[in-house]
Amino acid sequence: MKRIYIIAMLIAMTAMSVSAQAVKFFEKYEDADDVTSVYVSKAILRMMPDISTGDMDFSGVSGKIECIRVLTADRAEIAGKLRTDADKVVKEGKYELLVKVSEGKEKTNIYMKSDKEGMNEYIILNGSPNDFNAILIEGTLTPADVQKMAKKK
Amino acid sequence: MNNNSKDIRSLLERFYSGEATEAEERELRELLEQTTAEEFETDRLILRGLEQSVKVPDDFEERLSSAIDGWDAAERAAERRRWLLRPVMWRRVAGIAASVALLVGVGMTMSRGTHVDQAEMADASGNHVEAYAATEKALTIFARALNKGMDGVEFAEQVSDKAMSTAMGI
């Protein structure tokens, strides 16, 4: 019984450390030069009005998001470094590749991980040779919810 | 002489046992001064020494009484100090002080918290625009990429259906 308890604890700790790794990556570059870092908390998201702009409709989405973290690099050197670190996080965190899109020089990969409580974690890596965006979205948002944002007009 | 010796011994016995009266003490002294027997030499010296003791001053009783009062007061003061220094007393005081400090701290934090919230609100209102812009950008990238991916799936399905139809039509 004791052994089972210890093993369960180790598994839980491993699971926690993996998500923590993603957060660590974003926090690492928070104060980096030439990197724009944004953290949007649930509190701010709740205050966000239901926006509908152009071909996007964000209504009803903000309530399903716990937080959003964004890192943006506009210089090739730092963009490359960010990309390498982000790939490492995704690989070691065993995120599942959802979508891989390539449009000319711009590439976007979307990764996802879910837990038993229905909390989803998305890592979106988007960029071209001279810039890079790393986005982390946590919440109960599903791929279907995200699809609806673009479909509605 | 032998009777004197006998009387002396008897009186000495009473004297040393503290039972001799004043009259017997006086008689004993007189007899010891009269006798020349060497066996009583020491007793004679003792009684002579006692006779030469310091006279009790007249205010001795008053001075003794006041000294006793002083000792009593000093003992009470020492007792009070001991009571104040008791660990139980200090534990109680420390506990009360900690409770007061906790209440004050909580009160200060709550009042400070209000101010902090107000400051944060003022700052947040300026950052809200940035936050919304970042949210919009993030979700737009997410949605577009995901939909492009799903469009690809749909296209693949269409192609597959078409191929199936063509194959079956043959």
Side-chain angles (χ1 to χ4, degrees), chain B residues 77-95:
Chain B
E79 181 63 33
R80 264 201 304 278
R81 274 198 298 277
R82 274 198 296 275
W83 185 82
L84 285 173
L85 290 171
R86 276 186 322 168
V88 171
M89 180 66 189
W90 278 112
R91 263 187 249 132
R92 196 178 296 171
V93 168

Side-chain angles (χ1 to χ4, degrees), chain A residues 38 40 44-45 47-48 53 55-56 58 68 72 99 101 103 108 110 122 124 133 135 137 143 146-147 150-151, chain B residues 121 124 127-128 130-151 154:
Chain A
V38 178
V40 185
I44 299 292
L45 286 164
M47 289 188 274
M48 192 172 90
T53 59
D55 58 348
M56 302 299 291
F58 300 120
I68 297 177
T72 302
V99 164
V101 177
E103 288 180 290
T108 305
I110 302 177
Y122 301 95
I124 302 111
N133 296 296
I135 302 165
I137 300 176
V146 178
Q147 275 188 283
K151 290 291 186 187
Chain B
M121 290 281 284
N127 291 334
H128 278 185
E130 280 185 43
Y132 295 160
T135 304
E136 192 179 333
K137 176 185 173 182
L139 293 176
T140 300
I141 293 172
F142 191 6
R144 285 192 177 142
L146 191 64
N147 279 303
K148 275 209 167 56
M150 295 314 290
D151 287 345
E154 282 176 23

Side-chain angles (χ1 to χ4, degrees), chain B residues 2-161:
Chain B
N2 278 342
N3 282 342
N4 278 350
S5 295
K6 202 174 172 183
D7 289 338
I8 291 171
R9 282 192 204 100
S10 171
L11 284 169
L12 279 173
E13 195 178 322
R14 286 181 60 79
F15 174 76
Y16 286 128
S17 64
E19 293 171 356
T21 62
E22 278 190 36
E24 285 172 339
E25 274 187 43
R26 270 198 301 274
E27 188 185 347
L28 176 58
R29 280 197 192 94
E30 285 169 10
L31 287 172
L32 282 173
E33 289 303 326
Q34 288 167 13
T35 186
T36 55
E38 280 185 21
E39 70 173 293
F40 300 120
E41 182 61 29
T42 307
D43 300 306
R44 193 181 301 113
L45 289 172
I46 288 171
L47 260 72
R48 278 182 190 167
L50 287 172
E51 203 176 359
Q52 289 170 5
S53 61
V54 175
K55 276 191 180 175
V56 175
D58 293 333
D59 63 344
F60 177 74
E61 191 177 337
E62 194 182 319
R63 285 162 58 185
L64 180 61
S65 177
S66 115
I68 290 171
D69 289 342
W71 296 333
D72 187 44
E75 192 172 334
R76 281 186 197 167
E79 181 63 33
R80 264 201 304 278
R81 274 198 298 277
R82 274 198 296 275
W83 185 82
L84 285 173
L85 290 171
R86 276 186 322 168
V88 171
M89 180 66 189
W90 278 112
R91 263 187 249 132
R92 196 178 296 171
V93 168
I96 294 168
S99 303
V100 170
L102 184 64
L103 285 169
V104 169
V106 167
M108 285 174 67
T109 303
M110 284 173 70
S111 65
R112 241 188 71 216
T114 309
H115 294 300
V116 167
D117 287 342
Q118 287 174 353
E120 274 186 355
M121 290 281 284
D123 187 43
S125 64
N127 291 334
H128 278 185
V129 174
E130 280 185 43
Y132 295 160
T135 304
E136 192 179 333
K137 176 185 173 182
L139 293 176
T140 300
I141 293 172
F142 191 6
R144 285 192 177 142
L146 191 64
N147 279 303
K148 275 209 167 56
M150 295 314 290
D151 287 345
V153 170
E154 282 176 23
F155 178 72
E157 281 176 353
Q158 285 169 7
V159 167
S160 173
D161 289 342

Side-chain angles (χ1 to χ4, degrees), chain A residues 10 13 17-19 36 45 76 94 97 130 132-133 144 146 148:
Chain A
L10 285 171
M13 281 167 66
S17 69
V18 167
S19 285
T36 304
L45 286 164
K94 297 181 183 172
L97 177 63
N130 295 324
F132 184 75
N133 296 296
V146 178
K148 285 175 192 171

